[in-house]
Amino acid sequence: MWQETERHLYRAFTFPDFREAFAFMTKVALAAEKMDHHPTWTNTWNKVEIWLTTHSAGNTVTEKDRALARVIDQFIPNS
């Protein structure tokens, strides 16, 4: 589940291997580009961590972040 603070939404994802983690990141990247709202993220082998914040709103959580989080959740089975 996403953890929300005043400054960001955060979630960590773990996959069976790097290939699946990278495939997930590709889906997220395409969706983020379409929404013109890009995450801060890291990837180490099978783990992806994502932080969502709206820079133009002073680095706070907005509906843009919540909307992207909902889209990202659709890429995870049983999310």
Side-chain angles (χ1 to χ4, degrees), residues 13-43:
F13 302 87
T14 303
F15 299 90
D17 54 35
F18 177 76
R19 183 189 59 80
E20 288 194 37
F22 193 82
F24 167 76
M25 291 179 71
T26 300
K27 291 176 189 175
V28 172
L30 293 172
E33 184 66 15
K34 186 175 182 179
M35 296 174 74
D36 193 28
H37 193 60
H38 306 93
T40 298
W41 58 6
T42 62
N43 166 241

Side-chain angles (χ1 to χ4, degrees), residues 38-71:
H38 306 93
T40 298
W41 58 6
T42 62
N43 166 241
T44 304
W45 191 61
N46 70 333
K47 185 174 183 178
V48 176
E49 292 181 273
I50 299 177
W51 294 264
L52 301 175
T53 191
T54 302
H55 303 291
S56 61
N59 294 318
T60 62
V61 176
T62 68
E63 183 52 36
K64 284 183 171 185
D65 305 301
R66 291 182 189 91
L68 183 52
R70 287 190 296 271
V71 169

